[in-house]
Amino acid sequence: MLFCYRSIECMMLCPWNLLQGIRQGEMAEGIVHLERIANLEEPEEKSSKAHYYDGLVLLSSALYNVGRKAEAVKHLH
């Protein structure tokens, strides 16, 4: 497994690590982890909120790249 996070919070703080994995061909695994961010409630704290939205944008991009365009759009709204 390419991605190993102790918590979803840690994963939210490191969405760019997931992007690197996606770029290395681990698209399906990266999408699974990014979908975990999408299932969270929007954080209250400002910096966590920024990471949360970064994760949603990365998820949308990954979904679009694998042809799941309708799902990608859903996460951008």
Side-chain angles (χ1 to χ4, degrees):
M1 178 181 224
L2 176 63
F3 309 109
C4 182
Y5 294 96
R6 295 173 205 247
S7 69
I8 292 177
E9 291 79 16
C10 179
M11 180 180 58
M12 267 181 40
L13 293 173
C14 308
W16 299 109
N17 290 343
L18 293 169
L19 178 62
Q20 183 64 27
I22 288 169
R23 287 183 175 160
Q24 294 174 359
E26 299 289 338
M27 184 72 77
E29 187 174 351
I31 288 173
V32 167
H33 286 282
L34 289 168
E35 285 174 331
R36 293 172 61 197
I37 294 173
N39 291 327
L40 298 173
E41 289 188 29
E42 181 181 321
E44 294 293 324
E45 201 268 316
K46 201 172 193 174
S47 65
S48 293
K49 190 179 286 198
H51 292 298
Y52 171 80
Y53 283 114
D54 284 344
L56 291 180
V57 169
L58 290 174
L59 171 60
S60 294
S61 177
L63 290 170
Y64 184 86
N65 287 333
V66 297
R68 295 166 59 184
K69 296 175 183 169
E71 289 177 76
V73 170
K74 178 183 90 172
H75 293 294
L76 293 175
H77 287 190

